[in-house]
Amino acid sequence: MVGGPVVNIYPLENYSFGVKEPKIEKDTSVADRLARMKHNYLKEGMRTSVEGIILVHHHNHPHILLLQIGNSFFKLPGGRLKPGEDEVEGLRRKLTSKLGPSVSILPVPDWQVGECSAVWWRPNFETLMYPYCPPHITKPKEMKKLFVVPLTERQYFGVPKNLKLLAVPLLELYDNVQRYGPVISAIPLQLSRFTFNLIHDS
């Protein structure tokens, strides 16, 4: 039986993690974030954002790396593109900003951006996003694309000291909208078309 695109996944233990200066969040509440989004929309039009699905494996099960803010908010690494910026280059820039090393003696990761696994739409200045653009919406406020980001065998991650980087198993994410929200909880379903090649150290 022929599977989908193959993604090589290395053990979590292959990677090293350090701490760097905090990444201060621009918004202190959801209301502030939506207000800033509306302000930027009036200047630049629809917001385009990109996020990376970074996979590792632990106990022979795929895990996704998520950033945790505070005790209850989780997000994928990524962010808003600059006007006219290429999606892949923009995601690489955001990944380096979020998770790259803070010291020059360490190499900047050569992020390999793979296939787009999902596209989400924000019809209005609200928290709800949909995996389609409703037909009556002619001017959506945000388009978010999720890309699989295969890792090399070894890599260093610099984690802002005000955030946590967690490896969360797919089985924990699946359909767990209450804890992770609709975008992240749908990732296991979206990844079902991929073939995972779990590589173990010899």
Side-chain angles (χ1 to χ4, degrees):
M1 183 176 179
V2 178
V6 176
V7 179
N8 291 331
I9 306 177
Y10 295 94
L12 174 63
E13 295 75 21
N14 277 25
Y15 302 101
S16 54
F17 302 86
V19 178
K20 64 181 182 181
E21 289 304 304
K23 280 281 182 186
I24 305 302
E25 291 294 311
K26 295 179 180 178
D27 310 304
T28 57
S29 69
V30 173
D32 288 345
R33 181 169 180 267
L34 294 174
R36 183 168 61 89
M37 188 182 297
K38 187 172 185 178
H39 176 75
N40 289 336
Y41 178 85
L42 295 174
K43 293 194 305 179
E44 302 170 359
M46 183 185 72
R47 170 189 172 107
T48 303
S49 56
V50 288
E51 295 179 346
I53 299 172
I54 302 175
L55 289 156
V56 298
H57 73 78
H58 189 55
H59 299 308
N60 288 320
H61 184 72
H63 288 52
I64 291 176
L65 297 185
L66 294 178
L67 290 165
Q68 183 179 6
I69 305 169
N71 295 321
S72 59
F73 183 71
F74 302 88
K75 68 177 185 178
L76 294 164
R80 181 168 67 100
L81 295 178
K82 299 175 181 177
E85 185 176 22
D86 178 77
E87 293 172 347
V88 170
E89 291 305 314
L91 180 53
R92 286 177 176 151
R93 174 179 63 83
K94 283 294 184 180
L95 290 174
T96 297
S97 171
K98 292 287 197 307
L99 297 174
S102 60
V103 291
S104 58
I105 59 173
L106 293 171
V108 175
D110 181 22
W111 303 103
Q112 301 300 311
V113 177
E115 292 201 26
C116 176
S117 68
V119 181
W120 289 81
W121 298 88
R122 190 186 306 275
N124 302 298
F125 297 114
E126 300 171 350
T127 56
L128 286 176
M129 296 192 77
Y130 300 87
Y132 56 87
C133 188
H136 65 284
I137 299 295
T138 58
K139 294 182 179 180
K141 305 307 182 281
E142 180 180 8
M143 177 183 68
K144 176 184 292 189
K145 287 191 174 184
L146 275 54
F147 291 87
V148 175
V149 180
L151 292 177
T152 54
E153 186 176 1
R154 309 277 176 184
Q155 189 164 312
Y156 172 88
F157 292 89
V159 183
K161 62 175 61 175
N162 60 322
L163 304 176
K164 294 178 184 177
L165 186 63
L166 306 178
V168 183
L170 291 186
L171 59 85
E172 160 74 11
L173 297 176
Y174 178 63
D175 206 26
N176 197 346
V177 178
Q178 185 173 359
R179 181 163 176 78
Y180 297 103
V183 174
I184 293 176
S185 64
I187 289 174
L189 183 62
Q190 294 154 2
L191 294 181
S192 63
R193 69 185 182 89
F194 291 83
T195 298
F196 295 145
N197 180 27
L198 273 56
I199 299 175
H200 298 81
D201 287 341
S202 56

